[in-house]
Amino acid sequence: MSQDFFGAFISYSSLDVAFAQRLQEWLERFQAPPRLLEEYPDSPARLRPVFRDTSELAVSEDLLQAIHQGLEVSRAVIVICSRHAAASKWVDPELRYFRSIKPNGRILTILAPGTSYQAKNLSAFLPNSLLPEQNTGREPLTANTDSEGEQTAFMKLAAALLDISYGVLADRHAEREREI
């Protein structure tokens, strides 16, 4: 595999697998609106492939090594935040490994459905390495499926992966929908 083969790596608890699968499918079906590509010619037209363990990994003698290889060839990590992810034995180590190999790598967050944002209790749904005290004081801006809806939350992630503002992507998407 070449450098940055995957558009993103989805890190999640296995208890959030149905949501992880919906997110992966949406991102892999995503096509940037033509006008957006004219305005931002360096943006990729597609975000696929997106790494999710159960859809990408072959049987392996060393699961941790296989996960690390997936992280090494991913442009970004998307963390599905939930109480399950905060307690997962995999999510936080995946983030720590990604940061160790890509210190300036992009880590994006989305709240799983039914996960309420509680600024006073971030540890209820954020993996330890994303907590402000561990994350050099920064609190992640998180896409929220409950308050924004899945489509909007997913589009916010797509905008971040394309390195453009959500408003621009939403406007170009609406223009494309009107043309159809």
Side-chain angles (χ1 to χ4, degrees):
M1 279 185 229
S2 65
Q3 181 69 18
D4 291 342
F5 177 78
F6 293 104
F9 178 107
I10 299 176
S11 182
Y12 67 102
S13 162
S14 61
L15 296 171
D16 296 316
V17 68
F19 180 68
Q21 184 175 356
R22 284 197 311 275
L23 173 60
Q24 179 190 24
E25 290 170 356
W26 189 93
L27 289 170
E28 288 189 337
R29 282 192 322 264
F30 174 84
Q31 287 186 304
R35 182 155 172 240
L36 181 80
L37 294 173
E38 292 169 12
E39 295 172 30
Y40 299 89
D42 293 335
S43 289
R46 295 188 164 276
L47 301 174
R48 71 177 182 215
V50 173
F51 184 100
R52 186 173 58 85
D53 58 357
T54 58
S55 67
E56 296 299 332
L57 292 180
V59 173
S60 173
E61 182 178 297
D62 188 344
L63 176 59
L64 184 58
Q65 180 184 6
I67 293 289
H68 284 180
Q69 288 173 342
L71 287 162
E72 290 165 7
V73 294
S74 294
R75 283 196 303 268
V77 173
I78 298 171
V79 184
I80 297 178
C81 298
S82 70
R83 62 185 173 85
H84 308 298
S88 169
K89 76 174 197 173
W90 290 99
V91 173
D92 200 57
E94 289 169 355
L95 300 178
R96 291 182 190 280
Y97 182 75
F98 185 74
R99 279 211 173 119
S100 77
I101 59 168
K102 297 184 179 187
N104 297 318
R106 185 170 286 177
I107 296 176
L108 308 172
T109 54
I110 185 168
L111 292 178
T115 304
S116 63
Y117 181 88
Q118 307 156 356
K120 293 180 183 173
N121 191 13
L122 295 174
S123 63
F125 58 88
L126 285 180
N128 284 336
S129 61
L130 293 182
L131 293 172
E133 57 271 18
Q134 301 294 319
N135 194 21
T136 62
R138 298 176 301 190
E139 182 178 329
L141 178 59
T142 303
N144 189 330
T145 57
D146 288 344
S147 66
E148 301 168 325
E150 262 187 27
Q151 176 76 11
T152 298
F154 289 177
M155 196 163 321
K156 284 185 173 188
L157 288 175
L161 291 169
L162 294 168
D163 203 24
I164 60 171
S165 78
Y166 166 72
V168 168
L169 179 58
D171 288 347
R172 299 309 167 266
H173 180 72
E175 288 171 4
R176 178 173 63 188
E177 293 297 308
R178 284 192 297 270
E179 292 170 0
I180 294 177

